[in-house]
Amino acid sequence: MCPAFGGHRRITSRTVPAAKSKIGYAAKFVAEQAVQLHGGMGMSDELNVGHYFKRISSFNIQFGDPAYHILRYAQQN
């Protein structure tokens, strides 16, 4: 049970995949725009942008990509 949601499991189980997909898409968009802004330097090891881009990409894959969580959310309805 999650106290932040009043202890309702149904709300929590639907909220997690929705949040994971929304955050995954938003983080990927921001990372791609940062790399685009900085050009070739964005993917080098000299700037933190490349490091953050790689971390966001791995986070999106680690527990399921955003598309997987959208399907999971849709199946819970």
Side-chain angles (χ1 to χ4, degrees):
M1 301 264 182
C2 182
F5 293 106
H8 299 290
R9 280 192 153 178
R10 186 171 151 252
I11 294 172
T12 304
S13 66
R14 291 192 60 198
T15 305
V16 171
K20 173 74 167 101
S21 65
K22 191 72 163 174
I23 292 169
Y25 282 130
K28 183 180 176 189
F29 175 77
V30 170
E32 288 173 349
Q33 294 303 312
V35 169
Q36 182 71 26
L37 177 71
H38 293 290
M41 288 287 295
M43 288 305 293
S44 70
D45 289 334
E46 296 177 17
L47 295 179
N48 288 336
V49 173
H51 173 71
Y52 293 134
F53 179 80
K54 293 170 193 170
R55 284 193 69 185
I56 288 170
S57 298
S58 68
F59 286 151
N60 273 342
I61 296 169
Q62 188 174 10
F63 297 112
D65 64 337
Y68 166 78
H69 285 283
I70 287 176
L71 289 174
R72 188 173 154 209
Y73 180 79
Q75 290 174 349
Q76 290 180 356
N77 287 334

